Amino acid sequence: LYIKSKSVFPEVEKFIQISRDNYSLEMLNYHGRIKDSLTELKKGHPGHLESFSMTDADWPQFMRVNPLLNWSYKHIWQFLRSLNIPYCSLYDRGYTSLGSMNNTHPNPHLQYIDDRGILSYHPAHTLVNENSERHGRNT
């Protein structure tokens, strides 16, 4: 399931396409808000799921399966990097939480001035305080 927002980073779009092709994934594509897209998904693809965690009562009813929910930010990056699992290139440029191009920028906690005096960003996996993960997102 891929729910595409109005202003998607080209790097995110490319990563999704590469992942789809590399893993031979069948992709269901929707555009717009998550809640509206899940409503359309439910209409077009009704299903019976086992219980883990249902969506909130005012949302279309879907089962959420979150195997990594209790993993920390550090655990996620250790897992990805130790197994050389591909991830979006924006994470190497200081982004730590991806939304749309309208509400996302590199995390200020990762910025530094390089040898040439240029403002740069360390990769996402170097973030020390995981509570700062979303500091690159506008609310």
Side-chain angles (χ1 to χ4, degrees):
L1 172 62
Y2 175 39
I3 301 172
K4 185 175 182 177
S5 68
K6 290 181 182 176
S7 184
V8 179
F9 283 96
E11 296 89 342
V12 170
E13 189 73 16
K14 182 179 179 182
F15 176 74
I16 288 171
Q17 291 170 1
I18 289 170
S19 297
R20 179 200 61 209
D21 295 344
N22 285 347
Y23 300 110
S24 301
L25 299 174
E26 179 183 337
M27 192 82 90
L28 297 175
N29 294 290
Y30 291 87
H31 300 276
R33 296 179 49 222
I34 293 173
K35 189 174 184 179
D36 296 337
S37 295
L38 289 177
T39 299
E40 290 301 312
L41 175 67
K42 182 124 180 149
K43 287 179 190 174
H45 297 85
H48 306 285
L49 303 171
E50 300 294 322
S51 62
F52 285 102
S53 174
M54 293 298 295
T55 52
D56 296 336
D58 62 333
W59 279 64
Q61 290 298 288
F62 279 92
M63 185 59 58
R64 294 178 287 195
V65 179
N66 301 302
L68 309 178
L69 192 58
N70 293 320
W71 286 24
S72 70
Y73 183 84
K74 181 179 177 181
H75 290 136
I76 296 292
W77 280 109
Q78 285 175 336
F79 175 76
L80 291 173
R81 291 173 51 78
S82 68
L83 296 175
N84 295 315
I85 296 173
Y87 55 84
C88 181
S89 64
L90 291 171
Y91 292 112
D92 288 332
R93 299 197 328 243
Y95 290 84
T96 54
S97 177
L98 298 177
S100 72
M101 289 175 59
N102 297 329
N103 71 354
T104 307
H105 52 272
N107 192 314
H109 294 275
L110 294 173
Q111 73 181 34
Y112 69 97
I113 305 298
D114 71 13
D115 296 340
R116 299 167 291 164
I118 298 173
L119 178 65
S120 296
Y121 292 88
H122 294 289
H125 73 270
T126 65
L127 185 68
V128 175
N129 182 354
E130 65 183 49
N131 293 326
S132 302
E133 175 191 358
R134 295 184 61 86
H135 285 192
R137 297 281 293 272
N138 301 340
T139 53

